[in-house]
């Protein structure tokens, strides 16, 4: 976590430096984002020892699987050039059924008409997600686009559509009795979820 914070601070300081070289005033902004996330693809890789007969079991499966989730982020960032901005986002998000994370990620935006004018934009983001009930950290990345509506010189609303990939270490289901494989029998548990995100972001 400490390395992530240091990396974010170094990145933001570089943005401030580049803005000064370009001659455009840096503006700090804050925001709130909320939206809908539709998980459409699940990929699992389980490796464990069967508690009953002691055989090693390896399951590797990728299949469509729809599930609806919500998201809510607090944002703070910089407009560091006419067309570029970046923000650090912190909040709450569902990534699959009965699985919630606290995401912390960096998002970089390119605004085709300028970051203080209405117009199309594209973005990429990368970060991690904390789980309340396990030590595993999810890794997530997203890219997409949208449209910015300039409400005033400083206030704006973004309509965003993105494709997201998020990792997880889920409990391993036991198909024999409908419960889960005990942790001491699990060698590896990895999963990835592909989702389509639709959100609204307000900046001021």
């Amino acid at each position: 976590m400490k390395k992530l914070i240091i990396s974010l601070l170094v990145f933001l300081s570089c943005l401030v430096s580049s803005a000064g070289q370009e001659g455009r005033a840096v503006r700090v902004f804050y925001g709130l984002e909320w939206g809908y996330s539709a998980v459409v693809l699940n990929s699992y890789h389980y490796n464990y020892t069967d508690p009953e007969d002691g055989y090693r079991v390896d399951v590797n499966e990728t299949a469509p699987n729809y599930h609806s989730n919500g998201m809510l982020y607090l944002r703070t960032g910089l407009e560091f050039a006419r067309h570029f901005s970046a923000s650090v986002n912190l909040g709450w998000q569902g990534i699959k059924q009965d699985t919630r994370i606290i995401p912390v990620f960096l998002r970089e935006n390119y605004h085709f008409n300028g970051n203080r004018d209405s117009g199309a934009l594209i973005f990429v983001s990368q970060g991690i997600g904390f789980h309340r009930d396990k030590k595993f950290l999810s890794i997530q990345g997203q890219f997409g686009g949208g449209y910015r509506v300039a409400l005033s010189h400083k206030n704006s609303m973004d309509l965003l559509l993105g494709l997201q990939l998020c990792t997880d270490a889920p409990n391993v289901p036991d198909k024999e009795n409908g419960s889960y494989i005990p942790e001491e029998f699990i060698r590896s548990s990895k999963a990835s979820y592909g989702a389509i995100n639709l959100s609204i972001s307000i900046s001021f």
Side-chain angles (χ1 to χ4, degrees), residues 7-43:
S7 298
L8 294 178
L9 291 175
V10 170
F11 179 80
L12 292 177
S13 66
C14 291
L15 299 186
V16 173
S17 175
S18 65
Q21 294 174 1
E22 187 175 321
R24 181 181 177 89
V26 174
R27 186 177 81 88
V28 177
F29 65 87
Y30 305 93
L32 177 68
E33 182 176 338
W34 65 96
Y36 167 80
S37 179
V39 176
V40 294
L41 186 67
N42 292 350
S43 178

Side-chain angles (χ1 to χ4, degrees), residues 3-202:
K3 291 182 179 180
L4 175 65
I5 294 175
I6 292 175
S7 298
L8 294 178
L9 291 175
V10 170
F11 179 80
L12 292 177
S13 66
C14 291
L15 299 186
V16 173
S17 175
S18 65
Q21 294 174 1
E22 187 175 321
R24 181 181 177 89
V26 174
R27 186 177 81 88
V28 177
F29 65 87
Y30 305 93
L32 177 68
E33 182 176 338
W34 65 96
Y36 167 80
S37 179
V39 176
V40 294
L41 186 67
N42 292 350
S43 178
Y44 300 99
H45 186 193
Y46 303 139
N47 191 290
Y48 61 93
T49 302
D50 192 290
E52 299 295 330
D53 55 30
Y55 290 110
R56 183 175 176 179
V57 180
D58 190 83
V59 179
N60 198 338
E61 179 181 354
T62 299
N65 189 3
Y66 177 80
H67 182 73
S68 298
N69 293 298
M71 66 182 79
L72 179 65
Y73 309 134
L74 296 175
R75 307 171 57 239
T76 182
L78 293 173
E79 294 178 351
F80 58 93
R82 180 181 178 185
H83 295 277
F84 293 93
S85 66
S87 64
V88 177
N89 302 260
L90 168 68
W92 170 95
Q93 181 178 350
I95 58 173
K96 68 178 292 286
Q97 186 174 2
D98 301 324
T99 303
R100 310 288 180 265
I101 62 172
I102 300 173
V104 181
F105 62 92
L106 179 67
R107 178 185 290 163
E108 304 90 15
N109 308 282
Y110 178 82
H111 306 265
F112 289 93
N113 291 345
N115 49 34
R116 301 183 190 180
D117 299 313
S118 296
L121 63 92
I122 55 175
F123 67 87
V124 294
S125 67
Q126 55 287 136
I128 59 176
F130 295 91
H131 294 254
R132 294 175 53 188
D133 55 349
K134 52 188 172 183
K135 297 180 181 180
F136 178 83
L137 290 177
S138 289
I139 305 299
Q140 62 173 343
Q142 184 177 188
F143 71 93
Y147 191 86
R148 164 157 291 189
V149 179
L151 304 176
S152 69
H153 181 64
K154 294 184 177 181
N155 303 327
S156 61
M157 178 178 67
D158 296 338
L159 306 177
L160 304 174
L161 177 65
L163 299 177
Q164 178 177 307
L165 183 67
C166 186
T167 65
D168 190 17
N171 296 324
V172 179
D174 188 338
K175 297 182 179 180
E176 297 294 329
N177 55 29
S179 61
Y180 295 99
I181 301 295
E183 187 175 349
E184 60 267 25
F185 293 95
I186 299 174
R187 296 169 178 261
S188 175
S189 172
K190 300 178 181 179
S192 299
Y193 312 127
I196 301 173
N197 293 348
L198 179 63
S199 63
I200 299 175
S201 176
I202 303 294

